Structure formats: structure tokens, C-alpha cells
Amino acid sequence: MDLAEIFRVICRRWYVLVPGLLLTAAVTAGAGLMVPTQYESQSTVALLNSKRGTAADGNPYLVMVPALTGMADSLARNLNSDASVAELRERGVTAKYEAKIADNAQGPLLWLTVTGEDEDGVLAANHTLMKYSAEKLEELQATQSVPADSMIRMTTIVPPQKPQAQLKSKIQYLVMAGAAGLVLSLAASFFVEARRRHEALPKHRQNRSRDTDEAPAEESEATPAGDERAGTRRSRTERPGAGESDGEPAAAGPEGGRQLDQPTVQLPLLPSSERAGKKRPPSWVK
């Protein structure tokens, strides 16, 4: 099936395609209103060296040892654990969040991302997550009996940002719904076209069979006249000729075929007086 045939089917079955497209548009619009918009807020924190480690020059940003990156990874894994999720839920953080090392980071930088449907709730949850991260960092070091002046510290690099609407996933869902509706509408149109053709096929076959039945009848009606003409020709050609009687075959011609009929010439008879008046020749004349 080429594009021209598809276009013709669509034109013929527009009464199926158009309602399907209208229904698809209505469903897509309803999905756009029913599917909530997701908002996302992100903040960035950094781990700094302890006060004892920066005592020489007093600048913690100049002393970022590789151990701080390992600590940042450990803290992110702890924040994403089920225990931390339960503790944050008790503090009112019901939105989805994630803690991970910042992409392409060259130091111990953590991204704290909160995603939810409530714009204000997402922003408040990000502030709560930052405070909880600092507490968790201190708790991890306290379990190892680390002195206070040797503990790794946390500082805010980027405060919680204003939540931004995340429309990518929503648009993807709407596009998928529209594409599914379009495919179903086209499938319904071609299904109706196939049904119509299937219903018209037996009628076409009946017409062909009717034509086939009428053709032998016409031939049978024309046969007697043909037979009469053939019999006439046969009687003319097979009529016995001179010297041929019923039941005896005619003499064969020079080519072995049946000799054609020859016309018969009947001589006139002379009267008896004329026959008597004629003289017979002498007996000695032979």
C-alpha cells in the first residue's frame, strides 16, 4: 500500500478518523490538566578541611585533600539510605530528593536536589535537607570519636534555588498520548475499510457466478440453429451422386476423397416414326 492509497482510504473513512482525532485531542488536553507539574530545587554544598588542618594559613579552600572527596561520597550514600529518608519524612520532607557528587566536580562538592509537586514545599524541603546533611556529617565523625577541631566541616556554595517547573517529562507523556491516539484512529479507519471490502467481496463473487451461469444458457440457445446449418451443409456435401446408391460409398476421386456430384444430362427421345424411317446399314457393313 502506497501513500496515495493511504490518502484515499483516509478520505473515504474520514467519519472514523475525525472523531478519533477529536477524542485524542480531548484526552491529551485532559492528561495535560490532570498530570501535575513537577518542580525542582537544587543546592550545592562543599566539605572543608578541619580547623587543625588549615591552621597554617587559615584558608580551608587551599587545603582540599582527596580524603574530602571520599567523605563527600560517603555522606551522599548515607543521605540516600532508607534510614535517612525515614528521618527526613518525620521532619516533613515528603518530596523526592537526591544527594550526589556534583558532575565534573574537582573537589568535594555535593548536589542536593529536591523534586515535588508543591513549589513552596520543595523549597522548604531543600533547606531542611541542607541542615540535615550538616548534622549527619557531624554524626558520622562523632561515631569515630573525632576531636572537634579535627572534624570536617560543611559550607554552602549555592543556596537552595527557586523551584523550576520540569516540563520535559510532562511533554513526553502528552506526546506519547497524542501519538497513541493518532495510531489508534488510523488503525480504526483501515479496519473499517478492510471490513467494507470484505463485505463487498461476496457480492462481487455472486455477480461473477451469475454471469458464468448465464453464458452457457446463451450458448445452448444458439446451438440448434447452428446444428441446423451444419446439418444442411452436411446433407449437401454428403448427398449421393450419380452411380451411388443408399448404403454404398461413392467412388473415390483421384486424390482419395469423395467424388463430387456431377450434373446429369438427359438426352431427348425421338418419336417412333423418325426411328422407323431411318435406314439400317447393310449387313455387310461392319
Side-chain angles (χ1 to χ4, degrees):
M1 181 177 292
D2 55 1
L3 294 178
E5 181 65 19
I6 293 175
F7 181 75
R8 285 192 293 268
V9 172
I10 290 174
C11 292
R12 284 196 299 265
R13 309 303 171 190
W14 62 269
Y15 56 87
V16 178
L17 181 62
V18 172
L21 294 179
L22 294 178
L23 181 62
T24 300
V27 171
T28 304
L33 296 176
M34 294 179 61
V35 175
T37 302
Q38 296 290 324
Y39 293 92
E40 182 180 281
S41 177
Q42 190 176 73
S43 59
T44 305
V45 296
L47 302 185
L48 301 178
N49 203 349
S50 63
K51 295 181 179 179
R52 179 179 297 182
T54 59
D57 51 15
N59 189 351
Y61 294 101
L62 295 177
V63 187
M64 286 189 175
V65 295
L68 295 177
T69 303
M71 187 62 190
D73 182 65
S74 300
L75 178 60
R77 294 175 184 273
N78 187 277
L79 293 175
N80 293 327
S81 64
D82 294 338
S84 297
V85 171
E87 292 180 9
L88 286 172
R89 185 175 292 111
E90 294 177 357
R91 298 189 183 190
V93 179
T94 57
K96 181 180 179 180
Y97 72 89
E98 182 183 15
K100 68 174 185 177
I101 297 178
D103 296 339
N104 302 322
Q106 298 181 0
L109 301 177
L110 281 181
W111 271 351
L112 304 177
T113 306
V114 180
T115 305
E117 301 175 2
D118 185 10
E119 185 175 359
D120 297 334
V122 168
L123 184 60
N126 202 334
H127 284 284
T128 304
L129 181 59
M130 285 188 64
K131 294 179 181 179
Y132 180 79
S133 300
E135 296 174 2
K136 203 66 178 177
L137 176 61
E138 184 177 353
E139 179 183 345
L140 290 175
Q141 295 178 89
T143 55
Q144 301 298 326
S145 302
V146 178
D149 57 352
S150 298
M151 286 188 177
I152 299 173
R153 297 167 293 172
M154 179 182 290
T155 185
T156 301
I157 303 299
V158 179
Q161 300 297 297
K162 181 180 179 179
Q164 302 293 327
Q166 304 297 309
L167 301 177
K168 181 179 179 180
S169 59
K170 185 175 182 178
I171 292 175
Q172 288 178 348
Y173 289 134
L174 297 181
V175 170
M176 291 174 60
L182 177 61
V183 171
L184 291 177
S185 300
L186 291 174
S189 301
F190 284 100
F191 177 76
V192 173
E193 177 70 14
R195 292 288 298 177
R196 293 292 184 272
R197 293 185 179 182
H198 181 72
E199 293 174 358
L201 186 59
K203 297 180 180 179
H204 179 67
R205 290 180 176 176
Q206 291 178 2
N207 294 335
R208 291 185 60 185
S209 62
R210 190 180 301 111
D211 296 340
T212 305
D213 295 340
E214 292 176 357
E218 294 177 357
E219 293 179 358
S220 62
E221 293 176 359
T223 301
D227 292 344
E228 292 179 0
R229 292 193 295 269
T232 303
R233 290 194 298 268
R234 190 180 305 111
S235 63
R236 289 178 180 176
T237 56
E238 297 180 358
R239 185 175 57 188
E244 184 179 21
S245 61
D246 295 340
E248 295 181 359
E255 296 181 359
R258 180 182 293 273
Q259 194 175 27
L260 299 178
D261 296 341
Q262 300 294 331
T264 303
V265 180
Q266 186 175 2
L267 298 176
L269 297 177
L270 294 175
S272 59
S273 61
E274 294 180 359
R275 292 198 303 268
K278 288 185 177 182
K279 295 180 178 182
R280 290 184 176 182
S283 59
W284 53 268
V285 178
K286 294 183 180 180

